[in-house]
Amino acid sequence: MDDSREGELFVYINGEFAPKSQAKISVFDHGLLYGDGVFEGIRAYGGKVFKLDEHLDRLYESAHCIWLNIPISKDEMRQAILETLRKNNLKDAYIRVVVTRGVGDLGLEPWKCSNPTVIIITDRIELFPQEMYEKGITAITVSTRRNSHQVLNPAIKSLNYLNNILAKMEAKLAGKQEAIMLTIDGYVAEGSGENIFIVKKQCLYTPPVHMGILRGITRGVILELAKRLGIQAYEAVLTSIDLYVADECFMTGTGVEIVPVVEIDGHKIGDGKPGPITKMLMEEFRKLTAQDGTPIY
């Protein structure tokens, strides 16, 4: 290898590894042209990949829902992910698995894409600085509504993330760290890339999946942890008012893990600091990620 690229990360593309600086796909790939594909974000902690099987199940389910046949089996995908981590000597990492429709022409016809593209990227990620986990973040409800499940079901983790990007831009332009998206009917859906929870009178509430949200892997872990800790947890239809009068609020996702929200639309949440139940769940989540997972080596 060229010594100038020593230490450079490798990217898996269709069974082969390429240095990050040389990793390429065709400009005629429908993932690029039309957002026609699916993806997963996964985390590795201390040499173990957290909830790998759950992420793979969701990846293959998303692909099935858009009639995209992933050309390798789940077990082959699992091994490819682990091999990419080993190739890059990463024990703590963010993993992005992308499957596109593949190369076609400039038309929409997906049947002209005969070979899907499989990409595995392993790297490090920091969405928020540590200070925001200690002090919490601010958020606003944005005018960009969450895609209706009747248009493009958010349960499908597709490459078309413009809906989320526009929401994130609104928050950024307003000087806030995160966006809260509402459904077409005005109910609370989720963040730009996270699920949302509130605490009220020692009970935990989060919007139900049928409201048109992503069935988050971390969201599921939090519901399991709440049950183990004896915290009453409910899936419930929430309004902006429910957020404003909550005792605590936090967001969850593979990338952000658990991040407290201390202000929404200028309303202080609780006492304006991360609350005790949020802190407890953050601590228990960290313990779980240190213990659980698929070994890399």
Side-chain angles (χ1 to χ4, degrees):
M1 182 189 298
D2 184 339
D3 290 340
S4 66
R5 294 199 303 272
E6 186 176 354
E8 185 175 8
L9 295 174
F10 288 86
V11 177
Y12 172 104
I13 304 176
N14 291 335
E16 298 182 355
F17 289 100
K20 180 179 178 180
S21 62
Q22 298 181 17
K24 299 176 177 66
I25 63 169
S26 170
V27 295
F28 287 92
D29 193 297
H30 275 216
L32 171 65
L33 292 174
Y34 297 111
D36 188 2
V38 295
F39 79 97
E40 278 292 319
I42 312 170
R43 291 289 289 269
Y45 299 90
K48 296 180 180 179
V49 183
F50 189 60
K51 299 295 179 184
L52 178 55
D53 288 341
E54 288 85 346
H55 280 286
L56 289 179
D57 286 344
R58 190 170 65 181
L59 176 72
Y60 280 74
E61 287 171 1
S62 291
H64 180 73
C65 288
I66 65 170
W67 297 280
L68 173 57
N69 293 317
I70 298 178
I72 59 177
S73 68
K74 282 186 188 179
D75 187 60
E76 290 171 326
M77 183 72 81
R78 183 183 298 107
Q79 294 307 315
I81 290 169
L82 298 176
E83 178 59 27
T84 306
L85 287 164
R86 291 192 290 263
K87 182 82 171 175
N88 289 315
N89 195 29
L90 290 173
K91 294 182 179 180
D92 296 279
Y94 179 79
I95 304 152
R96 173 62 59 88
V97 182
V98 180
V99 184
T100 77
R101 189 77 63 181
V103 177
D105 59 22
L106 293 178
L108 288 175
E109 295 86 351
W111 49 86
K112 292 184 179 179
C113 306
S114 57
N115 297 306
T117 302
V118 178
I119 303 166
I120 302 171
I121 304 167
T122 57
D123 207 337
R124 296 174 181 85
I125 186 173
E126 182 182 276
L127 297 185
F128 295 115
Q130 185 59 35
E131 180 183 20
M132 292 187 182
Y133 290 92
E134 298 169 355
K135 296 183 178 180
I137 65 171
T138 60
I140 59 166
T141 54
V142 294
S143 62
T144 300
R145 296 299 174 101
R146 192 67 179 99
N147 280 339
S148 168
H149 65 276
Q150 296 171 316
V151 178
L152 178 60
N153 198 320
I156 300 170
K157 201 168 174 68
S158 80
L159 297 181
N160 193 327
Y161 246 50
L162 188 57
N163 184 227
N164 310 68
I165 290 169
L166 291 175
K168 190 75 171 180
M169 287 299 300
E170 278 195 63
K172 175 70 173 177
L173 291 170
K176 307 300 179 182
Q177 283 87 26
E178 193 47 82
I180 296 172
M181 304 176 76
L182 306 178
T183 68
I184 295 297
D185 297 322
Y187 297 107
V188 176
E190 53 192 353
S192 66
E194 311 86 14
N195 293 118
I196 189 167
F197 287 80
I198 63 168
V199 177
K200 185 68 176 178
K201 296 182 179 179
Q202 303 297 307
C203 293
L204 198 60
Y205 299 90
T206 191
V209 174
H210 72 253
M211 295 300 291
I213 65 169
L214 180 70
R215 191 188 298 273
I217 305 297
T218 308
R219 173 184 181 274
V221 171
I222 295 305
L223 292 173
E224 291 174 6
L225 283 176
K227 184 177 180 180
R228 186 188 309 172
L229 296 168
I231 301 170
Q232 295 293 318
Y234 304 95
E235 292 185 305
V237 176
L238 302 175
T239 67
S240 297
I241 298 298
D242 293 315
L243 302 184
Y244 301 158
V245 301
D247 299 321
E248 304 176 38
C249 179
F250 60 88
M251 290 181 168
T252 65
T254 297
V256 301
E257 299 171 320
I258 304 171
V259 61
V261 181
V262 296
E263 179 192 295
I264 300 173
D265 296 341
H267 298 275
K268 184 170 68 173
I269 307 303
D271 62 1
K273 301 176 183 178
I277 290 180
T278 302
K279 289 180 178 179
M280 182 193 308
L281 289 169
M282 291 172 73
E283 181 179 354
E284 292 301 316
F285 183 80
R286 281 193 289 267
K287 290 179 183 177
L288 187 62
T289 59
Q291 300 166 357
D292 190 19
T294 302
I296 297 171
Y297 294 94

